[in-house]
Amino acid sequence: MAAAAPAPGPESGKAQGGEKAAGLQEVMFVGNNWDGTADVIRSSGGFEKLGRINVIPDKQERLAEIYTNPVKLAYFLGIRNGPGEGHDQFVDDMYSTPDGKAMVVSRPSFADVVSVDVATGKINWRFPVSGYRSDHMAVSPDGKRVAVSASTSNTVHVLDIGTGEEAGSFKAGDKPHENVFTDGGEYLWNMSIGEVNTAADDPWLDWTKGDRRITVVDAETFKEVKVIDMRDRLDAFGREDLSDAVRPVAFTPDESTLYFQVSFFNGFLEYDVADDKITRVKTLPKNPGTSEDRTTWVNDSRHHGMSMSPDGGKLCVAGTMDDYVTVVDRDTLQEGPLVPASKPYWATVSGDGKSCVISESGSDRVTAIDFATGEKTASVPVGDHPQRVRVAHVPDDWTAPAGTGTAARR
């Protein structure tokens, strides 16, 4: 796997999916997980809200299928009472198609991926994933394919973004989670996080969490290229105490270095891709008000969300359970101001590359932090429990589909 001169990294200032086509405007999609809606906001500046899309227009049909199938119902209720924290999970991840006419969305509680027409709000296609829950996605740099984790079947499906046809799939570790295309789309990385919904969170019970690893495949053939078990790398680095469940990640622009978060840890690690070893660790401050009872942390996360400035100089870290976000200098690993935030759940990069944009799932807001100063510059209200935030495109003259507008659908 080459590590030099790749396409821009996955959370750089450029949106995944190629250059913007004529007649399109750059925006951000905000997935309101418990609402089943996605807000469309401006991708920089004041991040003003432009409209809202209902991503579960087929809700009654899906519920009818689930409630007449005992196995599906058991998993549906399990998602509600586990990762959903008592709520159904209706939108996890979303991207725009290259022509800006559709939003492709993974819907965990419905165990599927759908394409929603952004003008009409109607579903173009639906792909049921294997197993009973869909999760994180990634779009290839050319915008033609979307990868989605099917977390209960340990499978990653890769779909044609325009038709929903499956191009291929591969097996990953237990509970595949984050997906990232690298080397201009030549490779696809999947990070499996293992079991995160049990109360077996004491360090001595780590063995119950399952097979957690990074699986790297050829993005055309879906053949396994490499498996990275961070347990071995963590032990070699002297951090046997840390979990090997790799959570959100951020590559440097040249993809030579990977930064990643792990379960239960208030901080992140640095991994040299070519040398295949961990090189540094950064422990970030704890919030004195955060309970040290690990069973109270959402899905084994302490910190969940990372992004990198387009020049590779700054990392933005969401301190989920510690209720702050901070910008870290990559050379020195010195953190900047701890900006208060309510359960920040994700971090990405604004369209202009100047800001880190986080979802505040505890206060239903999206907030921008300036990479240069580490200070908050904007914050806008969105729907119920925002999680993933992605740079996307819609037509220049886009307006929200009738019946959705900007009103919440609870």
Side-chain angles (χ1 to χ4, degrees), residues 200-221:
D201 293 342
D202 286 336
W204 73 273
L205 292 171
D206 186 72
W207 59 274
T208 67
K209 297 293 186 178
D211 177 17
R212 294 156 296 180
R213 54 189 167 95
I214 298 175
T215 303
V216 185
V217 302
D218 183 294
E220 285 299 320
T221 66

Side-chain angles (χ1 to χ4, degrees), residues 180-388:
V180 182
F181 283 93
T182 66
D183 296 82
E186 185 175 356
Y187 300 106
L188 176 57
W189 293 48
N190 176 266
M191 293 72 175
S192 59
I193 60 172
E195 182 54 64
V196 299
N197 301 129
T198 70
D201 293 342
D202 286 336
W204 73 273
L205 292 171
D206 186 72
W207 59 274
T208 67
K209 297 293 186 178
D211 177 17
R212 294 156 296 180
R213 54 189 167 95
I214 298 175
T215 303
V216 185
V217 302
D218 183 294
E220 285 299 320
T221 66
F222 309 107
K223 299 294 185 183
E224 190 176 282
V225 174
K226 186 175 185 179
V227 171
I228 303 169
D229 183 348
M230 281 299 178
R231 178 75 277 139
D232 297 337
R233 281 75 174 170
L234 285 163
D235 291 352
F237 187 68
R239 294 306 302 261
E240 297 89 347
D241 60 311
L242 292 181
S243 168
D244 60 350
V246 176
R247 310 304 290 261
V249 303
F251 277 96
T252 52
D254 66 0
E255 293 175 354
S256 64
T257 307
L258 176 72
Y259 293 87
F260 64 96
Q261 295 166 313
V262 296
S263 291
F264 305 117
F265 182 49
N266 50 300
F268 59 87
L269 296 108
E270 178 186 80
Y271 171 77
D272 186 294
V273 175
D275 289 344
D276 190 21
K277 66 179 183 181
I278 293 171
T279 48
R280 293 191 292 177
V281 62
K282 172 63 177 180
T283 302
L284 288 165
K286 294 181 178 181
N287 183 337
T290 299
S291 170
E292 289 300 321
D293 179 0
R294 287 156 56 124
T295 65
T296 65
W297 301 349
V298 178
N299 300 327
D300 291 359
S301 299
R302 178 135 194 179
H303 289 186
H304 188 282
M306 296 185 76
S307 65
M308 183 174 294
S309 59
D311 64 3
K314 300 288 181 66
L315 281 161
C316 177
V317 181
T320 307
M321 300 311 301
D322 289 304
D323 287 332
Y324 68 75
V325 60
T326 189
V327 173
V328 178
D329 182 272
R330 195 168 71 84
D331 286 337
T332 65
L333 295 189
Q334 179 61 50
E335 71 270 16
L338 303 185
V339 180
S342 181
K343 202 170 77 169
Y345 216 91
W346 194 248
T348 189
V349 179
S350 61
D352 61 11
K354 295 180 180 180
S355 302
C356 166
V357 180
I358 63 164
S359 58
E360 294 194 55
S361 62
S363 60
D364 299 340
R365 304 188 71 84
V366 167
T367 298
I369 311 296
D370 186 272
F371 273 118
T373 67
E375 301 288 353
K376 179 164 68 174
T377 59
S379 188
V380 296
V382 290
D384 194 7
H385 205 266
Q387 290 189 197
R388 227 65 61 225

Side-chain angles (χ1 to χ4, degrees), residues 12-23:
S12 70
K14 286 288 184 185
Q16 284 182 292
E19 296 296 321
K20 183 182 76 170

